[in-house]
Structures are given as structure tokens and as C-alpha cells.
Amino acid sequence: MKLHGATALVTGSNRGLGHHFAVELLARGAKVYATARRPELVEVPGAEVLRLDITDPASVAEVAELAGDVDVLINNAADTAGGNLVSGDLDAIRSTMDSNYYGTLAMIRAFAPILARNGGGAILNVLSAAAWTTVDGNTAYAAAKSAEWGLTNGVRIELADQGTLVAALVPGLVGTQTLFDFAERTGIPLPEDDVVDPADLARLALDGLEAGDIEILDRIGADAKAGLAGPPRAFAL
């Protein structure tokens, strides 16, 4: 997948990894739609900014109508703070699943025909190593990412005939404010050597997308995938 000259749409571009995706895509010569629920917070010079709430069908449909030239869809936006499944707030758990699974699916369903019309293109879903090694303190997020992994594998099969590459980025600890807030809230110390700079992760992901990889892993992601051959385990910080 050549990114120079491509047209990409990035969800959740107002901060963190989504911001770095948009910046790096522009640096590689792509046209970029940078989207967020609060577009006034998006600061990506050179991008076309659109309001998008991936959990609102009308918002998804409106953006699909406006961005009919997209051939790269990066599903990055997601609620990350669901808490634990047994003791957590049920509305927060539903919100986490709604954004990670149903929101991602809504974007894919809306843009699959657009990608087909534009030659196939690519979809990159931002997952997490938590999909394979759950996280005590936020097991709802881990469950949602597990569901999104299954979604990604299923969509890859369904869209193969139209020539759409469907890839998953599966990182471990991404150095965003969301991660630092989680560590502060739970009191879990972060191993600094394992925290990945989001700018570096965006470059890794886009390199993998250009190479045609279907799973793009950092070190922790690779370790988590290898661990699936053994007994279930929790993510150890």
C-alpha cells in the first residue's frame, strides 16, 4: 500500500497516537482527514478536519459522504477507561465496547464500499496487547480489544475479494496521556523502558502498512502473541 498520494482518514486525531498518525501521513505525502468528536482540538496543519463520533451512526454517515476519496482508513478512536468487568460501572463497560467494537465496525461498514470504489485500499485497526493478556484494573478494555481483534480477522476475510488490506496494530504501552492517567489512577508503576513513543509507533505502523503486513507488533505485542501458546495470563507491569 503506497501512502504517498493516498487519501487517509484517521479517527481520534485530536491527541495521542491519532495525532501522530495524521502528522506522519502528511509527511509521507498523503492527503489526510483528521477527525475527532471535538474537531476544535485537532491541531494538524495541512489536514482537513472533520467532526466525527464513531458511536453515532448519523455522524459516521455524514463523514463517509464528505470523504468519498478515502483509500486508507485508520481506526484509532476508542474509549479506553471501562474499568473491571465484575466490579466496574456497566455504562462505562458498554461505552468501551461500543467504541472499540461497534464504532470500529460502523466505520468499516461505511467505508468498505468507498475503498472498493477507490481500488481497494487499506484499513488499519489500532488494537492493544491487552487483547491477548488482560489488564487488572481495566479488564473491560482488554475484552473490548479482544473483540476488536476478532472483528479485524473477520473483516479481513470479507474484504479480501475487493482488494482491501486489513491490518492490526498491536502495541503494548503507548506513551500517551491516557496511559499515564491510567497508571496514576491505579497506582501501577510503568516500566519506562517499555513505554513506546507514539510518534515512533505511528511510523512503525505505517511502515508495516506500506509493506502489506496484516499484524504489526511492537516488542510487548510480539511477546503477548507468543504467549497465546501457553496458559492465560494477565499483563504484568
Side-chain angles (χ1 to χ4, degrees):
M1 177 71 209
K2 296 294 185 182
L3 295 176
H4 184 82
T7 299
L9 185 145
V10 183
T11 66
S13 299
N14 56 305
R15 62 177 183 171
L17 184 57
H19 168 83
H20 289 287
F21 266 127
V23 169
E24 182 64 21
L25 282 160
L26 285 166
R28 296 186 186 214
K31 173 184 175 181
V32 175
Y33 293 102
T35 73
R37 284 183 298 178
R38 295 183 61 189
E40 69 274 12
L41 299 181
V42 176
E43 296 182 358
V44 184
E48 183 171 340
V49 179
L50 299 175
R51 183 192 175 279
L52 171 62
D53 180 348
I54 64 171
T55 65
D56 178 356
S59 179
V60 172
E62 181 179 1
V63 167
E65 183 69 25
L66 292 171
D69 53 344
V70 164
D71 49 16
V72 178
L73 172 64
I74 298 184
N75 288 310
N76 165 74
D79 186 343
T80 61
N84 275 347
L85 289 163
V86 176
S87 59
D89 179 77
L90 195 56
D91 287 339
I93 293 169
R94 286 196 178 100
S95 176
T96 301
M97 182 63 75
D98 194 23
S99 63
N100 284 276
Y101 185 84
Y102 290 107
T104 298
L105 179 58
M107 290 297 294
I108 292 171
R109 288 169 65 99
F111 278 88
I114 294 172
L115 296 175
R117 190 167 64 242
N118 293 334
I123 297 170
L124 177 66
N125 291 340
V126 178
L127 306 184
S128 168
W132 299 328
T133 55
T134 194
V135 181
D136 188 18
N138 204 1
T139 55
Y141 174 70
K145 285 302 184 186
S146 294
E148 192 180 357
W149 181 48
L151 178 157
T152 303
N153 293 335
V155 167
R156 183 180 300 119
I157 293 171
E158 293 184 36
L159 299 185
D161 286 347
Q162 72 173 44
T164 299
L165 169 67
V166 179
L169 172 64
V170 191
L173 302 171
V174 186
T176 63
Q177 193 59 49
T178 298
L179 175 67
F180 300 136
D181 289 347
F182 172 74
E184 183 177 357
R185 185 174 66 253
T186 60
I188 298 174
L190 296 175
E192 292 185 9
D193 290 346
D194 289 329
V195 176
V196 179
D197 186 309
D200 292 338
L201 188 61
R203 286 190 288 270
L204 175 72
L206 296 179
D207 286 347
L209 200 63
E210 289 199 296
D213 296 338
I214 61 171
E215 280 190 346
I216 304 158
L217 316 176
D218 66 2
R219 188 196 63 77
I220 290 179
D223 180 66
K225 182 71 180 287
L228 291 175
R233 56 177 175 161
F235 190 69
L237 296 178

